[in-house]
Amino acid sequence: MQITVDRNTCEGLGMCESMAHEYFEVDDDDMLVIHDENPPEEDRKLVLAAVNSCPVLALRLEG
């Protein structure tokens, strides 16, 4: 599976970071940093919950 972000849509609100800080971080410039774009299958539920928490729908989980 792979995490993708639409950087034109992302507003750096940090909902994903609050749910899965292991994978997402909003930096000092309010830009989203994805620490691991290909998380292990065992973390699917955690990552999917974080992706689905995005209020502007800037994140997707593919695969």
Side-chain angles (χ1 to χ4, degrees), residues 9-59:
T9 303
C10 181
E11 295 180 0
L13 299 171
M15 296 300 292
C16 56
E17 180 181 17
S18 68
M19 296 192 71
H21 63 86
E22 304 92 331
Y23 295 100
F24 304 97
E25 178 183 357
V26 178
D27 69 13
D28 293 339
D29 295 323
D30 293 332
M31 295 294 296
L32 179 64
V33 176
I34 300 175
H35 292 294
D36 184 355
E37 293 179 353
N38 300 103
E41 185 63 33
E42 62 207 32
D43 286 345
R44 178 179 287 273
K45 286 184 180 183
L46 172 70
V47 173
L48 184 58
V51 165
N52 289 337
S53 75
C54 181
V56 295
L57 306 175
L59 295 169

